[in-house]
Amino acid sequence: KLKNLDLDKNKTYHIGTGQSSDSLMWGNREGILDALFKFARENPNVILEFKTKSDNIKYFLENDVPKNILCTWSLNTPTIINNEEHLTASLEKRINAARKVADKGVKVGFHFHPIVEYENYLDEYQAVYEKLILEFDKEEVALVSFGTLTFIKPVIKKLRDREFRSKITQIPLSDASGKSSYPHVTKVEMFKHAYESFKLWHKDVFFYLCMEEHQMWEKTFGYQYSTNNDFERAMLSSYATKLGMEFLI
């Protein structure tokens, strides 16, 4: 399927794995990482992102990594990881894995999606943000994203019907463009706090909100893009620059 992709050689693409599963959890089983690394080498105009909650980085450490590959970690506080992200690597293991990959020269990134509200949650997230700033140089980091829980009604029903225990369904839900999410004021609080915590990285790392309403950017970041195309162009340009790639329109 990778070989059959019809890609324009004169265009920069951002392709991600790990959106509906985990990029590294299975390692190189069935040669999946062999195929993806080969795909990256054969398509130098593709920014290939691996997203994970694991610390399974053996393949990255044992192989030459094409420069157009990003490795990003979905992070959360220990409270959320321990109670909701079952069978995933601990926060410490994820950060240590990211540190080892960065030491090899691979650009890394971090996704805080979902940020979850609970008692003293801002203090716990603040501790994670500060740890990243302490552990990583801004030149090693390509991106940081923020987002939160957004549901359609059928998904909420399925979550409530399942046997495993979760407190996620107890969050206060408000209308969010036809979906259900935290009240607007709560989201402004969590995203503004998160963005301002990374002030030292603002000029050198690309920050974005994941699947949030257009108006949320101005209220939390202090700026917004005129169109989605403008956002995507800025993102691709920033990633390409950080990876040492030529940015192709």
Side-chain angles (χ1 to χ4, degrees), residues 149-151 171-184 187:
L149 297 162
T150 302
F151 302 105
I171 71 172
L173 296 174
S174 296
D175 178 71
S177 300
K179 299 179 181 180
S180 297
S181 188
Y182 282 113
H184 189 83
K187 294 207 283 188

Side-chain angles (χ1 to χ4, degrees), residues 36 38 57 75 111 128 134 151 154 158 181 208 233 246:
L36 287 166
K38 181 179 179 182
I57 56 171
L75 301 182
H111 300 279
V128 182
L134 182 65
F151 302 105
K158 284 185 178 181
S181 188
Y208 69 92
R233 181 179 175 83
E246 180 183 2

